[in-house]
């Protein structure tokens, strides 16, 4: 692990996180964000961005695929801000994450001379999409199709690291979300029928799966 690489990634992540609230406001569904003050704190998101980027740099090192993961992570930070504030995952940002990840991994595959690895990553995206479509269509499911699209976008970099990482990245979001929901219910902050965002759990689960790969 290169300390310089991790430090540089953390600084870039902090800048992305600090800018995330301003970028997110352009995609917000409501102009009144007073109820989501915590979700729109630039300093807090700067810390989140630094942690996310540093973790990826530490896990992947000077891998040619690292820029692709950072591109997806940058879009993911903005998506988390929006989903926490107004329960939306805008298609343009999810598309940017998917296209950025695909382009970055395509360059990495060419640089490493492993085009077959990109095919596995694409298969991972397709499998993640299919799995979350099934979950979204189950009776009583609270997954939106924004969540399904984000799961597909995240399936690409997860698939790049292998099937076990993909499986872990598909499982962890549900575990994380379950813990959060139980904690909120215990604290009487939400009711059983309260709509809650799932995008942050998807992103956090994917990030942890990469770190554990």
């Amino acid at each position: 692990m290169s300390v310089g690489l991790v430090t540089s990634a953390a600084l870039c992540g902090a800048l992305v996180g600090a800018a995330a609230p301003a970028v997110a406001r352009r995609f917000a569904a409501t102009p009144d964000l007073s109820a989501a003050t915590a979700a729109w704190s630039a300093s807090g998101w700067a810390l989140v961005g630094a942690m996310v980027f540093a973790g990826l740099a530490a896990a992947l090192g000077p891998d040619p695929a690292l820029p692709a993961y950072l591109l997806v992570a940058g879009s993911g930070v903005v998506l988390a801000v929006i989903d926490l504030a107004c329960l939306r995952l805008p298609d343009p940002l999810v598309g940017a994450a998917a296209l950025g990840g695909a382009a970055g991994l395509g360059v990495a595959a060419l640089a490493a001379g492993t085009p077959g690895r990109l095919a596995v990553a694409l298969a991972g995206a397709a499998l993640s999409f299919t799995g979350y479509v099934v979950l979204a269509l189950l009776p009583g499911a609270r997954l939106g199709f924004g969540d399904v699209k984000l799961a597909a976008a995240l399936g690409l970099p997860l698939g790049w690291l292998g099937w076990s990482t993909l499986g872990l990245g598909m499982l962890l979001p549900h575990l994380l979300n379950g813990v959060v929901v139980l904690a909120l219910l215990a604290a009487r902050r939400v009711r059983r029928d309260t709509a809650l965002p799932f995008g942050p759990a998807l992103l956090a689960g994917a990030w942890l799966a990469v770190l554990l790969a």
Side-chain angles (χ1 to χ4, degrees):
M1 179 180 69
S2 169
V3 175
L5 177 63
V6 173
T7 302
S8 298
L11 290 173
C12 290
L15 291 174
V16 170
V23 176
R25 285 189 182 93
R26 299 178 177 273
F27 295 91
T30 172
D32 181 14
L33 302 174
S34 58
T37 303
W40 295 85
S41 166
S43 58
W45 285 103
L47 181 60
V48 171
M51 182 175 67
V52 169
F53 275 50
L56 292 173
L60 298 172
D63 191 303
L66 177 60
Y69 285 81
L70 297 182
L71 282 170
V72 174
S75 298
V77 171
V78 179
L79 284 164
V81 175
I82 297 171
D83 205 17
L84 285 169
C86 52
L87 302 177
R88 287 187 69 232
L89 291 169
D91 285 345
L93 286 176
V94 176
L99 290 175
L105 292 178
V107 171
L110 290 175
T114 56
R117 197 171 179 184
L118 181 59
V120 175
L122 291 170
L127 180 60
S128 185
F129 176 78
T130 303
Y132 273 87
V133 165
V134 172
L135 290 176
L137 293 176
L138 289 176
R142 295 191 178 185
L143 286 177
F145 274 86
D147 299 316
V148 173
K149 296 169 192 174
L150 179 58
L154 296 174
L156 189 70
L158 290 172
W160 176 269
L161 294 176
W163 297 115
S164 60
T165 302
L166 176 65
L168 189 60
M170 293 177 68
L171 173 64
L172 281 175
H174 299 281
L175 297 178
L176 293 172
N177 191 63
V179 170
V180 170
V181 170
L182 287 176
L184 291 174
L185 286 171
R188 299 183 184 277
R189 297 290 300 275
V190 299
R191 300 182 307 179
R192 291 184 180 275
D193 59 349
T194 301
L196 295 172
F198 190 67
L202 277 170
L203 293 159
W207 179 71
L208 287 174
V210 173
L211 266 57
L212 294 171

